[in-house]
């Protein structure tokens, strides 16, 4: 999403102030890509960029949704929402109301104005941030008392079955469960979490995010196809999910898969889970610089075995590494979007410029870079804001 539209405010749209404003961040994933729909491990951190939902209950039985930036208001009867009945950005908000009711919660009419500065389409989870801001708002306004892990699963359910994108749990969990100064180590099988300290500033390090500005092409179809490959691999190996395949003896296991493509997909997931665990070990021991090679190995695996990178992502990673990054990798679903690079703070600018220079040389559009701290997760910003 781009910047706030100055004319649109909750009060100007709905004629009264909101009861409160809730904010939920976008994310980057440090490591653990395409593991979340395989019952595996992920390690995301929250960005400073957030989606806000200003909200108030109404007595009309309608959800009325306005974007701070675009389009006309959208409204729908809260109790008769059906998948496919609402489209575009508002389906993410309406989907959350639908998922809450599917889970047996009673919600009434609500007015929503959503806004924010999470770039859309950059793989930084602007849609999960929107879902989670709305989920938190509705949970608070209607006193539902749902814990955040369950709320994340409900937001995921909204995206899977209302919007129709078969994503895993990572993005919603990151938006709701991340805390300042930590990466979120999440076991997507049982939902257990550990806040792993990531004091980049204190260690003189910087995590540079580079948005390649490459649109996600075919992302939905390709994403679903990867998911199916993984499910086929697990079924053929006789395990509930690829999470259950051990790194020990992996080659022998994989030899049992006839399809070489499915074999490579499985190899990515199994090795990636192991890289997450190794990364967590290093971070727990305060050996942050040493995670660099794991990040880079993750990218190589996503490029060669999982095949979800595009030339812009590969060029950005190579350029960051040549300019002295400890490690670099694509982050998020792939097929465009962003890379992250772990660099000495003093090198942040030079690495960003080196990537921009390589992009110029290749004739790619100019990338956009920014360093990110591990920012806080979703929160209520204030009452009547
Ligand atoms: C997208 C999905 C996530 C996850 C990543 C890949 O961001 O929304 O659930 O699968 O891709 O790790």
């Amino acid at each position: 999403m781009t910047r706030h539209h100055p004319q649109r405010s909750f009060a100007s749209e709905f004629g009264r102030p909101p009861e409160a404003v809730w904010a939920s961040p976008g994310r980057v994933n440090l490591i653990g890509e395409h593991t979340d729909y395989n019952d595996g491990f992920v390690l995301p951190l929250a960005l400073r960029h957030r989606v806000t939902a200003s909200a108030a209950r109404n007595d009309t039985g309608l959800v009325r949704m306005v974007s701070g930036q675009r389009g006309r208001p959208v409204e729908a009867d809260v109790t008769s929402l059906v998948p496919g009945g609402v489209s575009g950005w508002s389906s993410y908000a309406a989907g959350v109301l639908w998922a809450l009711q599917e889970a047996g919660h009673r919600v009434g009419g609500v007015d929503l104005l959503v806004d924010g500065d999470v770039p859309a389409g950059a793989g930084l989870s602007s849609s999960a941030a929107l879902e989670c801001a709305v989920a938190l708002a509705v949970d608070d306004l209607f006193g539902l008392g749902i814990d955040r892990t369950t709320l994340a699963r409900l937001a995921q359910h909204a995206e899977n079955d209302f919007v129709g994108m078969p994503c895993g749990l990572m993005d919603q969990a990151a938006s709701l469960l991340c805390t300042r100064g930590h990466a979120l180590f999440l076991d997507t099988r049982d939902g257990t979490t550990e806040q792993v300290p990531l004091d980049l500033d204190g260690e003189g390090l910087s995590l540079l995010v580079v948005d390649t500005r490459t649109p996600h092409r075919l992302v939905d179809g390709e994403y679903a196809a990867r998911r199916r490959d993984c499910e086929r691999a697990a079924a053929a190996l006789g395990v509930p999910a690829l999470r259950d395949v051990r790194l020990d003896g992996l080659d022998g296991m994989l030899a049992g898969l006839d399809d070489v493509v499915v074999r490579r997909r499985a190899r990515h997931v199994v090795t990636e889970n192991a890289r997450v665990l190794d990364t967590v070990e290093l971070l727990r021991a305060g050996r942050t610089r040493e995670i660099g090679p794991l990040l880079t190995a993750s990218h190589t695996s996503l490029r060669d075995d999982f095949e979800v990178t595009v030339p812009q992502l590969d060029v950005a990673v190579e350029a960051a590494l040549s300019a002295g990054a400890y490690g670099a990798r694509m982050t998020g679903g792939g097929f465009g979007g962003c890379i992250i690079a772990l660099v000495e703070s003093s090198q942040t600018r030079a690495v960003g410029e080196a990537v921009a220079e390589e992009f110029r040389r290749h004739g790619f559009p100019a990338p956009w870079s920014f360093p990110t701290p591990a920012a806080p997760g979703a929160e209520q910003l204030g009452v009547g804001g």
Side-chain angles (χ1 to χ4, degrees):
M1 293 198 179
T2 48
R3 274 272 155 207
H4 192 81
H5 189 293
Q7 275 88 40
R8 272 193 181 164
S9 70
F10 190 94
S12 66
E13 293 296 317
F14 298 110
R16 65 192 196 292
E19 291 185 71
V21 181
W22 290 261
S24 208
R27 61 98 191 93
V28 284
N29 188 16
L30 196 55
I31 195 161
E33 220 64 86
H34 289 276
T35 48
D36 64 351
Y37 51 83
N38 291 294
D39 278 4
F41 306 110
V42 294
L43 193 61
L45 52 128
L47 297 175
R48 266 206 212 99
H49 307 77
R50 320 201 269 192
V51 170
T52 57
S54 307
R57 288 164 289 179
N58 68 45
D59 56 12
T60 64
L62 298 174
V63 50
R64 300 190 292 207
M65 299 167 280
V66 176
S67 157
Q69 290 140 32
R70 66 187 125 164
R72 301 161 69 85
V74 179
E75 59 177 54
D77 189 332
V78 169
T79 54
S80 26
L81 292 167
V82 283
V86 182
S87 60
W89 69 268
S90 53
S91 66
Y92 296 92
V96 167
L97 290 160
W98 171 82
L100 286 165
Q101 293 172 94
E102 285 268 300
H105 299 285
R106 281 177 66 102
V107 295
V110 60
D111 293 336
L112 291 165
L113 179 122
V114 301
D115 209 334
D117 60 359
V118 185
L124 298 175
S125 289
S126 60
S127 40
L130 197 169
E131 290 154 7
C132 293
V134 171
L136 204 60
V138 173
D139 177 65
D140 271 358
L141 287 175
F142 293 94
L144 305 179
I146 304 171
D147 68 85
R148 287 194 176 208
T149 305
T150 308
L151 219 46
R153 290 210 188 271
L154 287 171
Q156 182 200 3
H157 180 37
E159 183 146 350
N160 289 171
D161 300 313
F162 194 87
V163 177
M165 158 66 182
C167 64
L169 180 64
M170 171 168 71
D171 305 343
Q172 293 79 7
S175 202
L176 285 164
L177 298 168
C178 279
T179 57
R180 187 196 303 276
H182 299 92
L184 176 77
F185 176 34
L186 169 69
D187 179 340
T188 61
R189 169 164 276 168
D190 62 10
T192 52
T193 60
E194 176 185 332
Q195 300 288 342
V196 181
L198 187 66
D199 179 14
L200 294 162
D201 238 15
E203 296 191 54
L205 288 168
S206 159
L207 190 67
L208 185 68
V209 181
V210 182
D211 178 0
T212 65
R213 294 197 153 132
T214 317
H216 294 231
R217 247 179 252 122
L218 296 175
V219 70
D220 291 2
E222 289 289 337
Y223 185 92
R226 294 300 180 283
R227 206 175 160 146
R228 276 196 306 276
D229 287 345
C230 292
E231 282 158 9
R232 281 173 59 197
L237 294 170
V239 290
L242 286 178
R243 147 72 174 277
D244 300 298
V245 179
R246 296 162 55 101
L247 192 59
D248 262 8
L250 177 63
D251 288 343
M253 275 292 261
L254 293 182
L257 294 172
D258 303 334
D259 186 326
V260 290
V261 172
V262 170
R263 207 183 285 171
R264 289 208 307 271
R265 304 292 189 251
R267 185 167 56 200
H268 165 72
V269 174
V270 177
T271 57
E272 184 77 351
N273 274 325
R275 283 186 287 271
V276 178
L277 298 179
D278 291 347
T279 303
V280 169
E281 282 295 312
L282 287 169
L283 292 178
R284 282 187 190 129
R287 293 160 59 190
T288 309
R289 285 172 178 75
E290 292 171 54
I291 73 170
L294 291 165
L295 302 184
T296 306
S298 166
H299 185 82
T300 306
S301 177
L302 287 158
R303 185 190 63 203
D304 299 343
D305 279 348
F306 219 65
E307 296 179 282
V308 292
T309 70
V310 290
Q312 287 84 344
L313 291 168
D314 297 334
V315 166
V317 163
E318 284 306 322
L321 292 172
S322 306
Y326 289 111
R329 59 181 291 276
M330 58 151 270
T331 187
F335 306 106
C338 295
I339 70 147
I340 52 170
L342 183 69
V343 301
E344 280 301 317
S345 298
S346 55
Q347 294 294 304
T348 311
R349 224 192 142 117
V351 173
E353 278 167 8
V355 177
E357 177 54 35
E358 269 308 286
F359 269 43
R360 264 194 299 279
R361 237 173 44 80
H362 280 81
F364 299 154
W368 174 57
S369 313
F370 62 94
T372 188
E379 59 186 341
Q380 191 193 102
L381 290 184
V383 177

